Amino acid sequence: MAITEPRTLAGFMELLPEDQILFNKLKNKIKHNFELYGYSPLDTPIIEDADILLAKTGGETNRQIYKFKKGDTDLALRFDLTVPLAKYVSLYNYELTFPFKRYQIGKVYRGEKPQKGRFREFYQCDIDVIDKDELSLYADAEIVATINSTFKDLDIGEILIRINNRKILIGLMEYLNLKDKSTKVLRIIDKIQKIGHEEAKTSLKKLGVDENHISKLIDFISIKGTPDDVVNKLKELDIENDIFQTGIQELEIVKENINQLQVPAEAWTYDLSLARGLDYYTGTVYETILKEHPDIGSVCGGGRFDNLASYFSDQKLPGVGVSIGLTRLFYKLKEAEILKSNKTSTTQVLIIPVEDSEYDKVFNVSSQLRDSGVSTQVYLGTKDSLGDKLDYANSIGVEWAVIIGEREKKESKVTLKSMVTGEQLLLPENELTQKLLELSEE
Amino acid sequence: MAITEPRTLAGFMELLPEDQILFNKLKNKIKHNFELYGYSPLDTPIIEDADILLAKTGGETNRQIYKFKKGDTDLALRFDLTVPLAKYVSLYNYELTFPFKRYQIGKVYRGEKPQKGRFREFYQCDIDVIDKDELSLYADAEIVATINSTFKDLDIGEILIRINNRKILIGLMEYLNLKDKSTKVLRIIDKIQKIGHEEAKTSLKKLGVDENHISKLIDFISIKGTPDDVVNKLKELDIENDIFQTGIQELEIVKENINQLQVPAEAWTYDLSLARGLDYYTGTVYETILKEHPDIGSVCGGGRFDNLASYFSDQKLPGVGVSIGLTRLFYKLKEAEILKSNKTSTTQVLIIPVEDSEYDKVFNVSSQLRDSGVSTQVYLGTKDSLGDKLDYANSIGVEWAVIIGEREKKESKVTLKSMVTGEQLLLPENELTQKLLELSEE
């Protein structure tokens, strides 16, 4: 028979068991924290009608989207979890309870140029709060607490959540009469830390922004300090623009609530240069970096949009949310050796018969352990020697082996062996479960 | 702006929050049991090179597969989790430890004609054990114990696992000189319970099977009784054919091991009419029905294949496994009202401020609860009246509301209200966590 060479597509992450377990641990911790903060699970289809997904996209995303026909229908694979959410809340508008808090952890697809660390299939882990007509600013603060709690639990080093409010920037553009160029100007501001002040100045000049306005802009962006400092300095600028002043008020409220939610001061900051590329954010915007690895870039970002679902509904549905790109994060954490592969298993115990004639006892003990919730494998290989069987235990990364030979079977005992220390212990069969539960608590 | 009508594609399940939570509970129980039995998690891409997925398919599946091009590459969406597994074990042959036990729970895609209860995107929950060259029959028995444990945990009524061995059928075909027609004959046998003996006889006659052979076949299939009975009656047939005799031996070994694994006798049976459509099964085959709802059909099926990955590798890789079609199962359980939607939440507590000025205390208490692992929502809506806020608590299905008003704030107390019984209790703020943990243990 002709053999098809087995291969996995470039840009698609596929992990060996020990890395898969590591990846799942991160995913489970994210899920746990999202639920801890009261977000409800959601799981929308990966395929949607193409015109649903394309309703609001353009440019780069549009080119990257996976589109195809099935019969006469134009279909597409979701490229984020926000558009499906906008569809969902519009479609089930009357069945859902608002404010609607949901999390979704799922794969999305973008046909990016394959290169190291870029993925075409990747997990996004999203939280969003949506309300009808008006959404409380308390939600903006709680997002920060959720990010902080989640990354603390991930245990991958200290984070810094950079926060800004687009109203500040939009108001400033208005005040400086740069409104018609604001998208382009904001894009330059967004990149200012990467490209530096000089290049930013040159780009702004090219856009036709006058010298006086450029230095005002740069001065504004240079405002630094504690959140209190930033708010006070913004007030001192005394800019007479309603949107700008609303932005300051929002920063002030969000700041107070973040503090009341006991997010440590060192975990977050106001950063006025943060604009984020997407045009639809209208209030608070977030980015998160790992303090010891700023080179990894933002590991969790998002923001507030006054009208999440304007493409699908006349109903005004403001929302605020963030997303963790887990596949890229996992790749980068491994690359930076913050996460290390080690032999690990979701199985706690491997039970090994010395001879095949001990399988009856082995099966019996396996039932007892599983009934007590101990994740258990029975040796199912075809090797004869105990050494080979113990090698298997090592290879799959279990912490404990339970060995049952002739003597154990006859005396209703088992030999419990630590695969970590090599120590072993002969104990009555009916004490095994208790012993394992004790040992796993230590 | 033009509005795109929000809609979800036909054949794609999309759930409201309370049903999503119910669905996830089933999914988590399945995952838990798969891990309890020592299967390791795996997550392969949804998209593969088309020639990988099409390597061994033909007929119906081929027509149903989602295929498309991206650039010059022919791609396809996986239509099951077995072909990706075959690719995976072939590709990572030298990195994996065999026997390799893995579970995968993921979405697969089939462009079936949309009709009630048929899904184009659906979850499969698969377990498989793969070894090199030879795979122990102990694995076949353990699959049965895993199915039994999983469905017991799902708590959707009693199951019956129907088991057969393809070698019995293959050997019988050889013995009756029906080998060249065996695929067609087996397909008729597989359907015999649906179509009845008479129609089966007619179909067999059309295939040119002679009367004498037809009655021998029907007699054989009519063997019923306990697993011991079935094995004994098969032996008594005294059919001189090696494959047939090997099949009997395998049934006997699997039977003993199933018993040693303490699977209750009423949960499984040998059913010689069970052939299953797929041609690649070569030994044990399984189907599972709900005893009180046989009309739902098989809820968990699979079998053993001598060579899982023959399309991808010269290495002989025998495997045994089963799959639960969770999306269809969930749909059918809801339809049959075995599962009922009820107001439920992944959030345990909603904290409600009577006035906005109590949010400082509300946030403070929310941090305490979350630090103790209590899943907590803060009321983020914009309604003013306490009644409206309590309505929200009811709508989202939380069990407990914690109310903080002027008095509570002043006295460092909270009002804990059961949303189930309506009872409420004023208690010191610092006793709330302990009280909730106690109540949730009751």
Side-chain angles (χ1 to χ4, degrees):
Chain A
M1 191 193 312
I3 298 286
T4 304
E5 192 210 338
R7 61 193 181 283
T8 300
L9 290 162
F12 288 70
M13 183 179 273
E14 190 169 66
L15 301 170
L16 285 169
E18 59 198 53
D19 276 349
Q20 187 70 62
I21 290 167
L22 205 54
F23 184 93
N24 289 9
K25 271 187 193 156
L26 298 189
K27 187 148 69 84
N28 287 336
K29 282 182 179 177
I30 293 171
K31 175 178 175 287
H32 170 74
N33 279 276
F34 288 177
E35 292 194 352
L36 195 59
Y37 276 78
Y39 294 86
S40 188
L42 179 64
D43 181 10
T44 63
I46 285 174
I47 307 178
E48 301 269 4
D49 244 320
D51 63 346
I52 294 288
L53 293 187
L54 296 169
K56 69 169 206 177
T57 63
E60 190 61 17
T61 309
N62 204 341
R63 276 193 298 279
Q64 291 179 349
I65 199 167
Y66 283 88
K67 280 170 286 199
F68 53 97
K69 263 185 183 295
K70 185 81 185 167
D72 292 331
T73 319
D74 284 307
L75 303 174
L77 303 185
R78 65 186 183 203
F79 56 89
D80 71 6
L81 301 174
T82 307
V83 180
L85 172 65
K87 181 211 74 174
Y88 184 85
V89 289
S90 309
L91 186 55
Y92 305 105
N93 190 351
Y94 297 105
E95 283 120 309
L96 296 173
T97 303
F98 291 89
F100 175 55
K101 289 179 82 171
R102 84 87 181 81
Y103 75 91
Q104 182 162 8
I105 298 175
K107 289 175 170 179
V108 303
Y109 296 83
R110 293 186 197 172
E112 304 213 44
K113 287 210 184 84
Q115 63 187 82
K116 212 164 153 266
R118 288 268 187 169
F119 294 93
R120 295 180 149 198
E121 175 184 73
F122 56 97
Y123 274 97
Q124 284 195 332
C125 311
D126 281 27
I127 45 169
D128 288 277
V129 190
I130 320 284
D131 207 345
K132 283 185 178 173
D133 301 317
E134 202 191 326
L135 170 64
S136 163
L137 277 173
Y138 297 124
D140 300 49
E142 212 187 51
I143 292 279
V144 179
T146 314
I147 300 173
N148 178 60
S149 168
T150 304
F151 278 87
K152 204 172 141 193
D153 203 11
L154 289 181
D155 195 21
I156 53 175
E158 287 192 11
I159 58 160
L160 182 66
I161 307 167
R162 300 165 60 217
I163 305 171
N164 195 6
N165 190 305
R166 287 286 300 254
K167 288 193 178 69
I168 299 280
L169 299 171
I170 293 163
L172 186 70
M173 293 302 116
E174 267 193 19
Y175 177 72
L176 298 170
N177 292 317
L178 285 170
K179 211 177 156 189
D180 57 328
K181 297 189 178 98
S182 62
T183 307
K184 285 179 181 173
V185 176
L186 290 176
R187 216 161 270 164
I188 294 166
I189 292 175
D190 196 22
K191 285 193 286 185
I192 205 156
Q193 292 201 331
K194 269 191 207 159
I195 61 177
H197 284 192
E198 285 316 307
E199 198 181 324
K201 278 183 190 172
T202 313
S203 301
L204 288 167
K205 211 178 282 179
K206 270 188 199 155
L207 278 178
V209 183
D210 68 48
E211 293 271 359
N212 183 31
H213 281 168
I214 290 178
S215 19
K216 280 204 173 166
L217 252 173
I218 301 282
D219 286 351
F220 160 81
I221 297 162
S222 305
I223 294 179
K224 297 246 179 306
T226 66
D228 286 336
D229 289 344
V230 170
V231 170
N232 290 334
K233 285 180 193 167
L234 282 172
K235 282 181 184 168
E236 282 162 18
L237 284 181
D238 213 16
I239 288 177
E240 282 175 22
N241 175 281
D242 286 350
I243 299 179
F244 190 87
Q245 291 303 327
T246 306
I248 297 179
Q249 280 167 32
E250 292 190 2
L251 286 181
E252 192 149 28
I253 294 168
V254 169
K255 167 177 74 70
E256 277 168 22
N257 293 323
I258 293 174
N259 290 335
Q260 280 159 10
L261 278 161
Q262 297 165 11
V263 179
E266 62 274 18
W268 71 283
T269 186
Y270 277 146
D271 181 340
L272 299 176
S273 74
L274 179 67
R276 290 189 65 80
L278 289 167
D279 297 334
Y280 57 85
Y281 292 123
T282 49
T284 314
V285 286
Y286 314 90
E287 272 189 9
T288 309
I289 56 164
L290 302 183
K291 278 185 183 173
E292 285 156 35
H293 295 271
D295 48 299
I296 288 178
S298 180
V299 296
C300 177
R304 172 184 270 256
F305 17 78
D306 277 346
N307 204 345
L308 173 70
S310 60
Y311 295 84
F312 302 120
S313 172
D314 289 326
Q315 169 81 54
K316 194 184 168 199
L317 294 164
V320 64
V322 287
S323 179
I324 301 172
L326 182 58
T327 302
R328 181 179 165 278
L329 176 62
F330 180 79
Y331 177 87
K332 290 286 181 186
L333 291 175
K334 291 267 299 177
E335 193 184 46
E337 297 187 342
I338 302 165
L339 281 183
K340 281 174 196 154
S341 299
N342 56 345
K343 276 293 164 204
T344 178
S345 176
T346 47
T347 306
Q348 291 162 267
V349 178
L350 175 75
I351 314 183
I352 296 171
V354 176
E355 304 285 343
D356 276 10
S357 53
E358 277 101 44
Y359 263 108
D360 53 353
K361 179 58 67 185
V362 162
F363 278 138
N364 202 286
V365 172
S366 77
S367 298
Q368 287 172 39
L369 289 179
R370 286 163 180 160
D371 284 346
S372 308
V374 178
S375 167
T376 303
Q377 268 195 58
V378 162
Y379 179 74
L380 294 176
T382 50
K383 297 278 169 61
D384 285 329
S385 88
L386 184 58
D388 284 338
K389 292 172 186 176
L390 287 169
D391 281 349
Y392 180 78
N394 268 325
S395 287
I396 61 169
V398 287
E399 202 177 337
W400 303 101
V402 169
I403 303 162
I404 297 176
E406 205 184 341
R407 178 183 166 195
E408 284 89 349
K409 186 172 162 180
K410 204 192 290 171
E411 298 178 0
S412 287
K413 290 187 173 166
V414 295
T415 296
L416 177 63
K417 183 183 175 75
S418 162
M419 298 310 294
V420 183
T421 65
E423 282 175 87
Q424 59 181 58
L425 179 72
L426 187 73
L427 73 167
E429 187 195 314
N430 58 15
E431 290 174 17
L432 174 63
T433 309
Q434 190 52 40
K435 187 76 192 169
L436 276 167
L437 293 174
E438 277 169 36
L439 287 166
S440 66
E441 271 172 20
E442 273 171 14
Chain B
M1 192 193 311
I3 298 286
T4 304
E5 193 208 338
R7 62 193 181 283
T8 300
L9 289 162
F12 287 70
M13 184 179 273
E14 191 169 67
L15 301 170
L16 285 170
E18 59 198 53
D19 276 349
Q20 187 69 63
I21 290 167
L22 205 54
F23 185 92
N24 288 10
K25 272 187 192 157
L26 299 189
K27 188 150 64 89
N28 287 336
K29 282 182 179 178
I30 292 171
K31 175 180 174 286
H32 170 74
N33 279 276
F34 288 178
E35 292 194 352
L36 194 60
Y37 276 77
Y39 295 86
S40 187
L42 180 62
D43 182 10
T44 63
I46 284 173
I47 308 178
E48 300 269 6
D49 244 319
D51 65 345
I52 294 287
L53 293 188
L54 296 169
K56 70 169 204 176
T57 63
E60 190 61 16
T61 308
N62 203 340
R63 276 193 299 280
Q64 291 178 350
I65 200 167
Y66 283 88
K67 282 170 286 199
F68 53 98
K69 264 185 183 297
K70 184 82 185 168
D72 292 331
T73 318
D74 284 306
L75 304 174
L77 303 185
R78 66 185 183 205
F79 55 90
D80 71 6
L81 301 174
T82 306
V83 180
L85 172 65
K87 182 212 72 175
Y88 184 85
V89 289
S90 310
L91 186 55
Y92 305 105
N93 190 352
Y94 297 105
E95 282 120 309
L96 296 173
T97 304
F98 290 90
F100 175 56
K101 291 179 80 171
R102 83 87 180 82
Y103 75 90
Q104 183 163 6
I105 298 175
K107 289 176 170 179
V108 304
Y109 296 83
R110 293 185 197 172
E112 305 214 43
K113 286 209 185 84
Q115 63 187 81
K116 214 167 151 262
R118 289 268 186 168
F119 294 93
R120 297 181 147 196
E121 174 183 75
F122 56 97
Y123 274 97
Q124 285 195 332
C125 311
D126 281 27
I127 47 170
D128 288 277
V129 191
I130 320 282
D131 207 345
K132 284 184 178 172
D133 301 318
E134 202 191 326
L135 170 65
S136 163
L137 277 172
Y138 298 123
D140 301 50
E142 213 188 49
I143 292 279
V144 179
T146 314
I147 299 173
N148 178 61
S149 168
T150 303
F151 278 89
K152 205 171 141 193
D153 204 11
L154 290 181
D155 194 20
I156 53 175
E158 287 192 12
I159 58 160
L160 182 67
I161 307 166
R162 299 166 60 218
I163 305 171
N164 196 8
N165 191 305
R166 289 284 301 252
K167 288 192 177 70
I168 300 279
L169 299 171
I170 294 162
L172 186 71
M173 295 301 116
E174 266 192 20
Y175 177 72
L176 299 171
N177 292 316
L178 286 170
K179 211 177 155 189
D180 56 330
K181 297 188 179 98
S182 62
T183 306
K184 284 178 181 172
V185 176
L186 290 176
R187 215 161 271 164
I188 294 165
I189 292 174
D190 196 22
K191 285 192 287 186
I192 204 158
Q193 292 200 330
K194 268 190 207 159
I195 62 177
H197 284 191
E198 285 315 309
E199 196 180 324
K201 277 182 189 172
T202 314
S203 300
L204 289 166
K205 211 179 281 177
K206 269 188 201 156
L207 278 177
V209 183
D210 68 48
E211 294 271 357
N212 184 31
H213 280 169
I214 290 177
S215 23
K216 280 206 173 165
L217 251 174
I218 301 282
D219 286 352
F220 160 81
I221 297 163
S222 304
I223 294 179
K224 298 246 179 306
T226 66
D228 287 335
D229 289 345
V230 170
V231 170
N232 290 334
K233 286 178 191 168
L234 282 172
K235 283 181 182 166
E236 282 162 18
L237 284 180
D238 214 15
I239 289 177
E240 282 174 21
N241 175 282
D242 286 350
I243 299 178
F244 190 87
Q245 292 302 327
T246 306
I248 298 179
Q249 280 168 31
E250 292 189 3
L251 286 180
E252 194 149 27
I253 294 168
V254 169
K255 169 178 73 69
E256 277 168 23
N257 294 323
I258 292 174
N259 291 335
Q260 280 159 9
L261 279 160
Q262 297 166 10
V263 179
E266 62 274 18
W268 71 283
T269 186
Y270 277 146
D271 182 339
L272 299 175
S273 73
L274 179 67
R276 291 189 64 81
L278 289 167
D279 297 334
Y280 58 85
Y281 293 123
T282 51
T284 314
V285 286
Y286 313 89
E287 273 189 9
T288 309
I289 56 163
L290 302 183
K291 279 184 181 172
E292 286 157 33
H293 295 271
D295 48 298
I296 289 179
S298 179
V299 295
C300 177
R304 173 185 270 258
F305 18 78
D306 278 346
N307 204 345
L308 173 72
S310 59
Y311 295 83
F312 303 121
S313 171
D314 289 326
Q315 169 81 53
K316 193 183 166 201
L317 294 164
V320 63
V322 287
S323 178
I324 301 172
L326 182 58
T327 302
R328 181 178 165 279
L329 177 62
F330 181 78
Y331 177 87
K332 290 287 183 186
L333 292 175
K334 289 268 298 180
E335 193 184 45
E337 296 186 344
I338 302 165
L339 281 184
K340 282 174 195 152
S341 298
N342 56 347
K343 276 292 163 205
T344 180
S345 177
T346 47
T347 306
Q348 291 161 267
V349 178
L350 175 75
I351 314 183
I352 296 172
V354 176
E355 304 285 343
D356 276 9
S357 53
E358 277 101 44
Y359 263 108
D360 53 352
K361 179 58 68 184
V362 162
F363 278 138
N364 203 285
V365 171
S366 77
S367 298
Q368 289 173 39
L369 289 178
R370 286 163 179 160
D371 284 347
S372 308
V374 178
S375 167
T376 303
Q377 269 195 57
V378 161
Y379 179 73
L380 295 176
T382 50
K383 296 279 169 59
D384 285 329
S385 89
L386 183 59
D388 284 339
K389 292 172 186 175
L390 288 167
D391 281 351
Y392 180 78
N394 267 325
S395 288
I396 62 169
V398 286
E399 203 177 335
W400 304 101
V402 169
I403 303 162
I404 297 176
E406 204 185 342
R407 179 184 164 193
E408 284 89 348
K409 186 173 163 180
K410 204 192 290 170
E411 298 178 2
S412 288
K413 290 187 173 166
V414 295
T415 296
L416 177 64
K417 182 183 175 77
S418 162
M419 298 312 292
V420 183
T421 65
E423 282 176 88
Q424 59 183 57
L425 180 70
L426 186 73
L427 73 165
E429 188 195 313
N430 59 15
E431 289 174 19
L432 174 64
T433 308
Q434 190 51 40
K435 187 78 192 167
L436 277 167
L437 293 174
E438 275 169 37
L439 287 166
S440 68
E441 271 171 21
E442 274 172 13

